[in-house]
Amino acid sequence: MDGKASMVPFLFFTFFLSLSSSQPAPPLQSQTLVLNRLPSPPQSLSWSDADEESQPLTSSPGGGDPESADSIFSVQLHHVDALSSNTTTPQQLFNSRLLRDASRVKSIEFISAAGPGPGFSSSVISGLAQGSGEYFTRLGVGTPPRYVYMVLDTGSDIVWLQCAPCKKCYSQADPVFDPRKSSSYAGIPCDAPICRRLDSPGCNSRKKTCLYQVSYGDGSFTTGDFSTETLTFRRTRVARVGVGCGHDNEGLFVGAAGLLGLGRGKLSFPSQTGRRFNRKFSYCLVDRSASAKPSSMVFGDKAVSRTARFTPLISNPRLDTFYYVELLGISVGGTRVPGITASLFKLDPTGSGGVIIDSGTSVTRLTRPAYVSLRDAFRVGAGNLKRAADFSLFDTCFDLSGKTEVKVPTVVLHFRGADVSLPASNYLIPVDTSGTFCFAFAGTMSGLSIIGNIQQQGFRVVYDLGGSRIGFAPRGCA
């Protein structure tokens, strides 16, 4: 009797297993991708210095002074392609972007492995250094303001620009800034606290003023006087910002006058102006293959979108520049990819590994095991699409010539506390003018994963440094 009784739960369990194994797999979640062409060279830039100078100014001290946190301002962002020749073809622009991207990633990996050391400032990586500053704005420097193009970069800390007299300056779109013509320019004493925040400060023994040097992984460098100056953003004037005035700038620099560092380090623009703008900024990067309107950046409380989903920032004690987050997994077609676990993205106690959000990297890099799992899952989900040959760093491409739209499996990034569902155009992108589209992720042998700006397009990406968090608001460019 006992034997028969014990058989009942066993038979029930077997029956349940047979039922569950016969259940159909959940339907693949998909979305429509409207097929757009490679972006053409942008039209001439619409900025007018006369318009900028006609705006009434609001003025206040910079980040070192007590200041109410009710200030806000916004600026237009333009892609670096707008500084290219009008004769450049869409294919040439895209190929150049991939070359910049490879150089950028290589240098980020170099620094994340080595950390800052002798001869490096805390701003060791710059998009501009590798010619990979993807987005720039126009701002005024000095009093009266002289308007120049500056690259904005979340992977760099120091604010710097080329200054006359030049020992060596590269070609830029505007006249080189001359601090002798600015009434607000001031050198920084060698013993000032802000000078000591440089990892490797120097001192002009004759003037007793601070010197800076920023060296980059590709051998480029900028060096000169570390000073304070007034920066003007449309109608907002920000005084006494620590700025590197570079008299010797050598290497792979292009186009813009300098760089506005937006990293987490002590000398970045958000850190210096923290009190004034409440340590908040955000940007929304427009998909240039679908829209001609400019991208934008907002500083202050209005930078925070009400629809943003936030994930905590985590700190790398060995390297304070980058914005590290926790990526727990990725879904394709509505199902978590089994081979992608949080352990693949963990920032270890030595400061290696981890995941950063970066505005200057284009294509998201995932540590190789995670990428292979993601790629294989996407290939299965997109099995109805005609495959094409590999292209550059992309190994999953499709021939979509003759089509206007296709169905593709959904892709969701699962950050701690925030699930970010990507638009289809953020992961299947045109790579030529013949209808070839590729899966816009790549693998890396480095332990560091990087969420790039293609995947960030269309989201308002919110950096709330006071709250130590990053948020993503879909459809945030409106």
Side-chain angles (χ1 to χ4, degrees):
M1 185 70 183
D2 288 345
K4 288 182 180 180
S6 65
M7 284 293 290
V8 173
F10 174 76
L11 290 171
F12 178 79
F13 180 67
T14 305
F15 175 69
F16 176 78
L17 275 183
S18 67
L19 273 180
S20 61
S21 63
S22 64
Q23 293 294 319
L28 182 79
Q29 293 181 11
S30 63
Q31 59 183 329
T32 299
L33 171 66
V34 177
L35 303 181
N36 294 307
R37 299 179 178 180
L38 280 176
S40 297
Q43 299 300 311
S44 57
L45 294 172
S46 58
W47 270 302
S48 165
D49 291 350
D51 291 343
E52 299 281 6
E53 290 163 0
S54 68
Q55 299 286 349
L57 290 170
T58 60
S59 182
S60 79
D65 296 14
E67 181 68 22
S68 63
D70 58 359
S71 297
I72 55 171
F73 73 87
S74 64
V75 295
Q76 287 186 0
L77 299 181
H78 286 267
H79 194 268
V80 71
D81 285 353
L83 294 176
S84 65
S85 164
N86 287 334
T87 62
T88 308
T89 67
Q91 190 67 63
Q92 289 170 330
L93 287 176
F94 185 72
N95 292 345
S96 295
R97 186 181 189 184
L98 294 183
L99 289 173
R100 291 193 304 269
D101 204 45
S103 183
R104 166 89 172 190
V105 169
K106 183 178 179 182
S107 291
I108 287 179
E109 291 175 349
F110 170 79
I111 295 306
S112 68
F120 288 87
S121 84
S122 58
S123 173
V124 181
I125 294 300
S126 161
L128 189 66
Q130 297 84 29
S132 63
E134 291 294 292
Y135 292 90
F136 65 92
T137 193
R138 193 157 180 82
L139 57 86
V141 181
T143 307
R146 308 285 180 177
Y147 285 88
V148 295
Y149 296 120
M150 294 279 279
V151 168
L152 292 94
D153 186 5
T154 59
S156 301
D157 288 333
I158 287 182
V159 181
W160 69 267
L161 77 161
Q162 297 199 107
C163 288
C166 287
K167 178 181 177 183
K168 188 167 185 179
C169 288
Y170 57 89
S171 176
Q172 65 177 59
D174 296 287
V176 173
F177 175 71
D178 189 342
R180 296 167 293 190
K181 296 179 180 178
S182 170
S183 62
S184 51
Y185 177 89
I188 294 174
C190 297
D191 58 356
I194 193 172
C195 183
R196 293 198 295 269
R197 290 181 201 166
L198 292 163
D199 284 341
S200 301
C203 186
N204 183 318
S205 56
R206 184 172 58 86
K207 297 181 181 179
K208 306 296 184 191
T209 53
C210 189
L211 300 175
Y212 83 99
Q213 176 174 329
V214 182
S215 302
Y216 299 94
D218 65 355
S220 302
F221 67 87
T222 173
T223 183
D225 298 304
F226 196 52
S227 54
T228 59
E229 186 52 289
T230 296
L231 302 182
T232 302
F233 300 83
R234 301 177 74 183
R235 292 168 295 178
T236 302
R237 181 179 287 161
V238 185
R240 292 193 288 280
V241 178
V243 174
C245 205
H247 301 289
D248 188 0
N249 315 288
E250 301 183 35
L252 302 178
F253 299 102
V254 289
L259 182 134
L260 192 77
L262 299 174
R264 290 182 80 183
K266 299 181 290 291
L267 291 173
S268 73
F269 182 75
S271 294
Q272 289 195 56
T273 59
R275 286 189 178 92
R276 169 150 193 189
F277 302 115
N278 216 4
R279 302 192 70 200
K280 296 182 176 77
F281 70 94
S282 67
Y283 55 72
C284 194
L285 307 177
V286 171
D287 178 358
R288 294 179 303 115
S289 68
S291 174
K293 69 179 183 179
S295 301
S296 65
M297 175 170 279
V298 180
F299 288 84
D301 284 337
K302 284 193 176 179
V304 180
S305 169
R306 292 177 183 174
T307 60
R309 296 174 179 174
F310 285 92
T311 185
L313 283 167
I314 58 176
S315 295
N316 183 344
R318 198 166 57 85
L319 193 62
D320 61 0
T321 298
F322 300 131
Y323 291 95
Y324 284 88
V325 293
E326 289 183 86
L327 182 60
L328 306 179
I330 303 176
S331 290
V332 172
T335 302
R336 291 286 279 258
V337 179
I340 301 180
T341 60
S343 61
L344 295 177
F345 306 114
K346 193 170 180 61
L347 179 66
D348 71 25
T350 68
S352 298
V355 179
I356 65 171
I357 307 289
D358 183 45
S359 66
T361 298
S362 290
V363 179
T364 289
R365 301 318 202 268
L366 298 176
T367 187
R368 184 74 187 167
Y371 170 70
V372 169
S373 295
L374 173 64
R375 176 200 67 191
D376 291 349
F378 187 82
R379 285 178 177 177
V380 170
N384 60 317
L385 301 180
K386 182 182 177 182
R387 289 288 298 274
D390 297 355
F391 183 95
S392 183
L393 76 166
F394 303 120
D395 63 5
T396 301
C397 300
F398 303 91
D399 177 3
L400 304 183
S401 57
K403 299 180 183 296
T404 57
E405 60 180 44
V406 293
K407 290 283 190 182
V408 296
T410 57
V411 175
V412 179
L413 305 180
H414 300 288
F415 297 100
R416 181 172 297 282
D419 293 337
V420 179
S421 182
L422 300 180
S425 58
N426 286 27
Y427 55 87
L428 201 60
I429 63 169
V431 299
D432 62 21
T433 55
S434 304
T436 305
F437 282 68
C438 294
F439 189 52
F441 289 82
T444 173
M445 299 309 292
S446 162
L448 179 70
S449 296
I450 306 171
I451 307 299
N453 59 49
I454 291 174
Q455 281 66 40
Q456 297 175 48
Q457 286 176 167
F459 290 92
R460 181 149 295 280
V461 183
V462 180
Y463 293 75
D464 178 3
L465 306 188
S468 192
R469 58 183 188 160
I470 284 185
F472 302 90
R475 297 175 295 281
C477 294

